[in-house]
Amino acid sequence: MGLEDRDSMRILRDAVDPDRGSATLVREFYSRWFGSDLSARDLFPPDMEKQRTVFAHALCWLCDELIAQRAEEPVAFLAQLGRDHRKYGVTPQHYVTLQQALLTTLRSHLADSWDRRLNEAVKDVVELMVGVMSGAADAETSPPFGDGTVLEHLRPSRDVSIIRLKMDHPLSYLPGQYLPVQVPQWPLRWRYLSPSIPADPAGYVEFHVRSVPGGMVSTAIVGEARPGDRWRLSNPHGAMHIDRDAGDVLMVAGSTGLAPLRALIMDLSRFGDNPRVHLFFGARFPCELYDLRTLWEIASTNPWLSVTPVSEFKTDPRWAADYPDVTPPRGLHVRQTGRLPEVVTRYGNWSDRQILLCGRPEMVQATKAALVAKGAPAERILHDPLAS
């Protein structure tokens, strides 16, 4: 029965579920794989804890989808994963050794339940995963990554950096998408960043980065990035977009969550006729509303755009004096004080809008819940995956 054997699939799913103690199994799999293929170890950073957790969650999700007999999304996900993994230097031989190590590990951990049906189901799942990933990687003809040079590093606020790069070759992405990025301070540790400008034919890219407590890569970028650094960018992900024929738009951005929405707004400014766009841009302190001047400049010549700045506190801390004054000229909406979910829903339920949310996962979840509670349809709310 293989993939149609739901009972066997549930046994496999429970074995790889992190909430059911799959850490030992996953650790053994990687140890077995690296032991049989030393070159595979070089594909990963020294600290494997996050990688093991991500792998376990992905396997668990894949099993859930297959148990529910939903194949389209898992196949698309695996194909994207295969294309994306080219940036690590994954070869066809790595897929062979991965498949062998994973099958052996699962057979060992499921020995008490192992029979012909379970063997067939596990074999089919692993072959599906490896086959789709390797096949998609082989079929892809675009370069797995591109390199660029940091031209400028601006510090508009204590925890925020604006990084401007020039790519060796122009990079293709859609406004609102995000890119895997590797910086020289942390080789092999890819992080997702959203460009704040649309794709540029000359190869210029701009990122807004906020230093996250405990975040090794973001802290290194904000504290250590320098002009001349060589960054590596890979192929885009994400489906954040605006349908110009689907009505007016509400955007809610927390801190550097502004970046992809800013790219979308800049892209819209190419057109003479647009839906109305209302952007709420929030931060803790007024001084952290770091890009209000750019937003003011766009809004001053594009009457379809309205911007409401929001800060949790009314006044700035003392350290604000060490950074540029971000107060825009008069013309934007009056700054509101409070948390974004409360301020946004003060204006109504926005149920007739396309709604785009970007920022910290906690903010996105709270704002989405507040909007839905007010009556906004959940299916009209777009946001990127809520990775921590």
Side-chain angles (χ1 to χ4, degrees):
M1 295 179 66
L3 297 179
E4 297 179 0
D5 185 352
R6 297 189 182 189
D7 291 337
S8 294
M9 293 290 295
R10 289 188 182 96
I11 294 173
L12 173 59
R13 189 257 183 222
D14 290 347
V16 299
D17 186 352
D19 295 333
R20 292 175 174 263
S22 67
T24 300
L25 183 155
V26 175
R27 189 178 295 108
E28 182 180 319
F29 154 64
Y30 277 107
S31 297
R32 191 185 302 274
W33 186 23
F34 297 158
S36 65
D37 186 349
L38 295 178
S39 67
R41 184 63 184 90
D42 296 333
L43 304 174
F44 298 92
D47 179 9
M48 287 290 295
E49 183 175 353
K50 183 174 182 179
Q51 171 63 31
R52 288 192 292 263
T53 301
V54 169
F55 182 76
H57 280 293
L59 268 181
C60 191
W61 173 83
L62 175 61
C63 289
D64 280 335
E65 293 295 294
L66 294 174
I67 289 169
Q69 298 294 292
R70 294 189 293 260
E72 184 175 347
E73 189 171 349
V75 168
F77 168 75
L78 291 169
Q80 179 60 52
L81 207 59
R83 290 188 291 268
D84 196 42
H85 272 56
R86 295 178 306 135
K87 68 178 182 282
Y88 298 107
V90 177
T91 67
Q93 182 59 28
H94 288 134
Y95 284 111
V96 172
T97 55
L98 179 151
Q99 181 172 343
Q100 293 170 343
L102 186 54
L103 281 172
T104 302
T105 304
L106 290 170
R107 187 179 297 112
S108 172
H109 276 260
L110 294 171
D112 292 343
S113 306
W114 201 261
D115 57 17
R116 180 188 58 79
R117 291 177 57 188
L118 183 56
N119 176 72
E120 187 176 343
V122 170
K123 186 168 178 278
D124 284 357
V125 170
V126 175
E127 286 183 351
L128 173 69
M129 180 177 72
V130 172
V132 173
M133 289 180 65
S134 60
D138 288 342
E140 184 59 49
T141 58
S142 65
F145 52 75
D147 294 331
T149 301
V150 173
L151 301 179
E152 197 171 15
H153 178 188
L154 306 178
R155 289 288 297 275
S157 182
R158 183 177 66 173
D159 298 330
V160 173
S161 286
I162 296 174
I163 307 291
R164 292 172 178 155
L165 301 98
K166 173 71 160 58
M167 302 301 295
D168 296 346
H169 302 283
L171 194 65
S172 179
Y173 59 86
L174 297 176
Q177 289 191 306
Y178 53 93
L179 304 171
V181 175
Q182 181 182 253
V183 300
Q185 289 81 8
W186 283 102
L188 299 180
R189 291 187 182 273
W190 292 81
R191 291 295 183 269
Y192 292 117
L193 298 177
S194 296
S196 61
I197 61 173
D200 180 80
Y204 293 100
V205 185
E206 178 179 293
F207 294 111
H208 299 176
V209 183
R210 178 175 176 268
S211 178
V212 178
M216 295 179 291
V217 176
S218 64
T219 301
I221 291 173
V222 173
E224 303 173 25
R226 298 288 184 270
D229 283 356
R230 296 284 288 172
W231 283 25
R232 177 160 287 180
L233 279 56
S234 190
N235 296 308
H237 298 259
M240 187 80 68
H241 70 283
I242 292 172
D243 184 344
R244 295 179 60 245
D245 298 319
D248 294 336
V249 181
L250 167 67
M251 294 180 170
V252 183
S255 187
T256 53
L258 174 67
L261 303 184
R262 181 185 190 261
L264 285 164
I265 289 170
M266 293 179 72
D267 185 61
L268 284 178
S269 67
R270 299 183 299 118
F271 303 96
D273 184 25
N274 282 312
R276 291 180 301 162
V277 176
H278 195 123
L279 167 67
F280 288 87
F281 175 33
R284 291 169 301 172
F285 301 105
C287 66
E288 293 180 311
L289 296 166
Y290 64 92
D291 207 35
L292 283 181
R293 182 171 294 273
T294 301
L295 296 173
W296 177 85
E297 291 172 351
I298 298 173
S300 67
T301 56
N302 292 278
W304 47 265
L305 175 63
S306 300
V307 179
T308 299
V310 180
S311 64
E312 294 184 24
F313 299 94
K314 290 184 178 181
T315 57
D316 285 326
R318 291 181 179 179
W319 54 258
D322 297 332
Y323 296 91
D325 181 8
V326 298
T327 305
R330 295 184 62 181
L332 286 176
H333 283 59
V334 176
R335 178 171 53 84
Q336 304 292 308
T337 303
R339 296 178 65 250
L340 273 171
E342 286 78 18
V343 173
V344 171
T345 51
R346 250 184 243 160
Y347 286 72
N349 64 14
W350 305 95
S351 60
D352 60 338
R353 303 291 180 107
Q354 302 177 69
I355 302 174
L356 283 67
L357 311 179
C358 290
R360 292 184 301 111
E362 299 83 359
M363 184 281 289
V364 171
Q365 289 174 319
T367 304
K368 183 175 182 178
L371 286 165
V372 171
K374 279 279 189 175
E379 61 272 14
R380 288 179 66 86
I381 301 176
L382 293 179
H383 56 78
D384 286 329
L386 297 177
S388 59

